[in-house]
Amino acid sequence: MNVTPAILGGIFMATSMGLLHAGELTPGESEPQVQEQIRDSVNRLQTFDSDVDRRKVYGDADRDREIERLLPNFRVTQEGSSDRQLKEQAIDRLQRTRLTPSGRQTAEQMIEKMSLFRRLPEVRFEMDPAAYDYFIGNPDVVVGLWQSLGISAIELRPAGKYQFQMNNVDGTNSKVFFLKRSQTSNIVYCEGEFQSPFLKNPITANGLICINARFEKAKDGTTFVRHSADVFVAFPNLAIEAAAKMISPVSNYIADRNFQEISLFLHSMSLSMARQPRWVQELAGKLQGVMPEQAAELNEVTLKVYENDQARLARRWDEFEEPIPLK
């Protein structure tokens, strides 16, 4: 049994951000079809239960090729790694990041007690900056979207400003805190507990994830985000740490895949906001477990993303249009 991916799920809300497959929702697509797409995407997020089906875990090559075919603006540019040099770079970046005194203390404790490190894959994909910032900072709204579609694989509730309580179906209960919150840099701390019928006592662990993003603009005005994340995990004793390290090749793979699924969700939702804003707004009207002002904010972000995309298309049209000769 490995607790790592479950704890990581609490850190970066891996299972609170599902994949809206392909993102190419056509105007005539019915709501049941959309629901089925999201249900399928939730199933693709991977965690550990009693046993790991390695054939499923390592059988993603065909799906990756299909994603490349369907989504030319989504690419994994660097694979995940636990390289020592990358770990030193991540520690140095974390130590140079401006944090509150309590946040700095938490970060230093994680560095000191760190059991495992992972640099998650770098992914580059088309993404409106406003949508990216919104979904990273509002994971409870994403869970509300799931629940509005009849999917309740996870519970995530606010416990304060940028603080959440997560209860996952795999037995994970986590407290999640943002130590830093911005559009391009987010540092999240998690205190988690993993329970299983195969374990006499729950396993506790702490984790820290540093999500780093930068935005790029193509010649046609399309905005891309390129992001990755550094993950630090600390276990309470050497026995659990040794067991986690023993099966880290599998847990690392699952963490990498889940981060790619998160990225694909973000890409797909941004495309849906730009091309099918009415569908997203209809979902916002059905949100459960969130405050009314949060639904209104989702509508505002959707409208902003749609307007940004329309303005980009208008500029491209002006570039292609030949001027009318004056007589």
Side-chain angles (χ1 to χ4, degrees):
M1 173 66 66
N2 181 23
V3 68
T4 306
I7 297 300
L8 294 184
I11 300 168
F12 56 86
M13 290 74 77
T15 49
S16 72
M17 293 184 172
L19 159 66
L20 186 59
H21 180 58
E24 302 291 346
L25 300 177
T26 58
E29 187 162 17
S30 66
E31 183 175 309
Q33 288 174 303
V34 175
Q35 292 182 21
E36 189 62 31
Q37 286 181 337
I38 296 179
R39 288 192 180 93
D40 289 343
S41 72
V42 172
N43 291 333
R44 282 195 293 267
L45 288 171
Q46 301 169 0
T47 59
F48 279 92
D49 293 316
S50 58
D51 296 303
V52 177
D53 186 342
R54 292 174 185 258
R55 290 173 299 177
K56 177 182 178 182
V57 169
Y58 292 106
D60 297 317
D62 291 342
R63 178 172 161 271
D64 287 344
R65 285 191 289 269
E66 182 69 5
I67 289 174
E68 289 187 4
R69 184 183 69 83
L70 291 172
L71 298 173
N73 286 349
F74 180 92
R75 290 291 182 271
V76 176
T77 54
Q78 292 183 19
E79 299 297 330
S81 175
S82 301
D83 180 75
R84 181 182 296 273
Q85 185 176 358
L86 291 178
K87 181 175 72 172
E88 296 303 321
Q89 292 175 0
I91 292 173
D92 180 65
R93 175 187 284 178
L94 180 57
Q95 290 177 330
R96 288 186 288 106
T97 301
R98 182 179 297 179
L99 298 172
T100 63
S102 60
R104 171 58 54 201
Q105 182 180 9
T106 298
E108 293 297 336
Q109 288 177 349
M110 281 301 305
I111 293 173
E112 179 183 353
K113 299 178 181 179
M114 174 175 48
S115 303
L116 297 173
F117 166 80
R118 186 68 175 174
R119 168 72 58 84
L120 300 181
E122 181 184 81
V123 190
R124 181 181 186 268
F125 52 97
E126 180 182 347
M127 185 80 207
D128 187 283
Y132 182 88
D133 187 52
Y134 179 77
F135 284 118
I136 290 292
N138 294 274
D140 56 322
V141 174
V142 179
V143 173
L145 291 172
W146 280 20
Q147 293 173 344
S148 70
L149 291 167
I151 304 169
S152 57
I154 186 175
E155 293 184 2
L156 189 71
R157 294 289 181 265
K161 187 174 178 60
Y162 297 131
Q163 300 179 22
F164 303 91
Q165 173 67 43
M166 187 191 80
N167 300 306
N168 199 2
V169 294
D170 65 4
T172 304
N173 297 297
S174 304
K175 294 180 180 179
V176 182
F177 308 86
F178 277 84
L179 302 186
K180 181 176 182 179
R181 174 77 184 92
S182 73
Q183 189 177 65
T184 58
S185 178
N186 290 274
I187 299 178
V188 185
Y189 174 69
C190 172
E191 298 176 348
E193 180 179 88
F194 182 78
Q195 297 181 359
S196 168
F198 301 94
L199 298 173
K200 182 178 180 180
N201 299 311
I203 295 177
T204 60
N206 299 331
L208 192 74
I209 181 167
C210 308
I211 308 171
N212 302 298
R214 65 181 187 273
F215 291 90
E216 307 167 352
K217 184 166 287 189
K219 291 182 179 180
D220 65 355
T222 303
T223 303
F224 289 79
V225 65
R226 189 186 296 266
H227 76 168
S228 183
D230 295 321
V231 179
F232 306 85
V233 180
F235 294 102
N237 60 60
L238 294 177
I240 295 176
E241 179 178 329
K245 288 182 177 180
M246 184 184 307
I247 54 177
S248 61
V250 177
S251 63
N252 286 341
Y253 183 88
I254 290 179
D256 290 354
R257 296 300 303 188
N258 281 350
F259 190 72
Q260 292 177 44
E261 297 290 358
I262 293 170
S263 303
L264 199 46
F265 161 79
L266 295 173
H267 175 51
S268 302
M269 282 304 299
S270 183
L271 292 181
S272 298
M273 288 173 157
R275 302 174 188 179
Q276 295 292 327
R278 182 174 298 178
W279 177 79
V280 179
Q281 290 180 331
E282 287 176 355
L283 285 183
K286 302 176 183 178
L287 278 174
Q288 302 177 16
V290 301
M291 300 298 291
E293 54 266 28
Q294 290 180 287
E297 186 179 5
L298 176 58
N299 278 329
E300 292 175 3
V301 173
T302 300
L303 180 60
K304 182 176 181 179
V305 172
Y306 174 74
E307 291 176 342
N308 289 345
D309 191 64
Q310 290 297 303
R312 179 183 66 84
L313 294 175
R315 288 192 295 270
R316 289 190 64 189
W317 179 260
D318 290 341
E319 292 174 0
F320 292 129
E321 187 179 38
E322 294 187 6
I324 301 175
L326 298 177
K327 296 181 179 179

